[in-house]
Amino acid sequence: MNATSYSAEQATDTRELRRVALFGKSMQASKCQYVERVVTTLQAHGITVMLDKHFAAILSDYALSPSVAELPHYDASHDDIDMAISMGGDGTFLSTAERLGQRQIPIIGINTGRLGFLADVTPESIETALQLVLQGDYTLSCRSVIEVRVEDKDFELYPFALNEIAVLKHDNSSLIEVETHVDGQLLTNYLADGLIVSTPTGSTGYALSVGGPVLAPESPTFCVAPVAPHSLTMRPVILPDDVELTLQVTSRTGRFLIAIDGRSKSMANGTTIVLRKADYCVPVVKTAGKGFFHTLREKMMWGLDQRNG
């Protein structure tokens, strides 16, 4: 499948589904049945199923039926899959998005982990969700991505974040100072344990845990949220996602951490980090009844009145 451009809003996908690849980071013997069920359901409808080569290596440690064990492997040289299925939690979903890179292949997440915001299909509803997908009864939610540019020849992290990029102190004592510019204009100098810049997708992750707001997934915004700021006046800031953010970090230890969707690397003082919206999105498959607000209510008990009586 060639890369397709998607608008920032939800849209119905009208392409024929012929080839699907399965992705995962880890697996337990008791959960291999979910892979079997996915493969059985798809193959019963004539869909060609592939296993990401890294996931295939993980599954090779378990006793699988021939229909799964003998599946062809997917790698970066394949551009002809129509959809990806992420099997795990949200961390696995982020890893799947990284593996697919800028191909803009739609991803559906089957949650065999814990919370599951991105991976919102429960094991109990695997067949139902896949049947809806096969019928074309789903939408694609286009999720914005942050592109990270770092002036460091040794920087080897994948430079795109579906959730967030964070700069963090390197040890457990000293704060760091993050001089932050927006389109060349000084926003402020954050004195804190760190600073998070999140997409709307990432607003329900790390940014939420430090007091950031919940953002609608398709909103054209970024959230800038300090981690344990030294001043009570430092509050999360919402910015339009067409700006360019420049961060310069100073630490007493001479080093700090940069984390991109959980992938981290130690960096030296004086490193300039430039953030902007990437020129592609990640299409997330949403079946009927699995909208964002439903997920908020279901996963976070959002708005639930817990008072008795």
Side-chain angles (χ1 to χ4, degrees), residues 8-207:
E9 299 178 352
Q10 288 190 344
T12 301
D13 190 18
T14 58
R15 294 166 299 112
E16 182 182 0
L17 193 63
R18 296 168 299 173
R19 295 169 65 86
V20 172
L22 273 58
F23 292 76
K25 287 174 56 180
S26 63
M27 189 58 59
Q28 300 171 0
S30 62
K31 296 180 180 179
C32 288
Q33 60 170 307
Y34 305 143
V35 177
E36 300 272 3
R37 287 166 56 192
V38 169
V39 173
T40 299
T41 301
L42 293 175
Q43 289 182 336
H45 289 80
I47 305 298
T48 298
V49 184
M50 306 179 74
L51 281 180
D52 173 64
K53 63 179 183 180
H54 299 299
F55 194 31
I58 293 168
L59 292 176
S60 66
D61 292 334
Y62 302 96
L64 301 168
S65 68
S67 63
V68 175
E70 297 173 7
L71 288 174
H73 294 176
Y74 170 88
D75 60 36
S77 66
H78 293 92
D79 280 330
D80 56 349
I81 64 170
D82 302 300
M83 188 172 290
I85 297 179
S86 171
M87 305 203 64
D90 286 348
T92 303
F93 196 103
L94 294 174
S95 176
T96 300
E98 177 185 350
R99 293 275 295 135
L100 294 172
Q102 302 180 41
R103 292 178 177 82
Q104 294 189 276
I105 295 169
I107 308 172
I108 182 170
I110 295 177
N111 181 29
T112 63
R114 294 182 180 178
L115 189 60
F117 254 93
L118 289 164
D120 60 1
V121 175
T122 63
E124 296 76 22
S125 60
I126 286 175
E127 287 81 5
T128 300
L130 291 179
Q131 187 63 44
L132 291 172
V133 169
L134 291 165
Q135 294 171 357
D137 190 7
Y138 65 94
T139 58
L140 295 178
S141 176
C142 181
R143 303 300 181 89
S144 61
V145 176
I146 297 175
E147 180 180 359
V148 184
R149 288 191 287 121
V150 177
E151 297 175 354
D152 185 334
K153 61 182 177 59
D154 296 323
F155 187 75
E156 297 176 349
L157 294 181
Y158 181 67
F160 295 97
L162 176 57
N163 260 9
E164 77 276 313
I165 175 266
V167 291
L168 303 163
K169 64 181 184 178
H170 206 290
D171 55 31
N172 294 323
S173 56
S174 300
L175 301 176
I176 59 174
E177 183 176 351
V178 187
E179 184 178 314
T180 306
H181 289 80
V182 179
D183 285 340
Q185 298 186 18
L186 179 65
L187 173 61
T188 192
N189 289 338
Y190 289 96
L191 187 62
D193 282 358
L195 186 69
I196 301 168
V197 180
S198 83
T199 65
T201 299
S203 71
T204 54
Y206 194 4

Side-chain angles (χ1 to χ4, degrees), residues 304-309:
L304 179 66
D305 190 346
Q306 300 186 31
R307 294 173 294 183
N308 293 324

Side-chain angles (χ1 to χ4, degrees), residues 223-244:
C223 176
V224 181
V227 180
H230 191 258
S231 171
L232 291 175
T233 63
M234 293 292 186
R235 292 290 182 260
V237 176
I238 304 302
L239 298 172
D241 65 8
D242 60 353
V243 301
E244 183 175 270

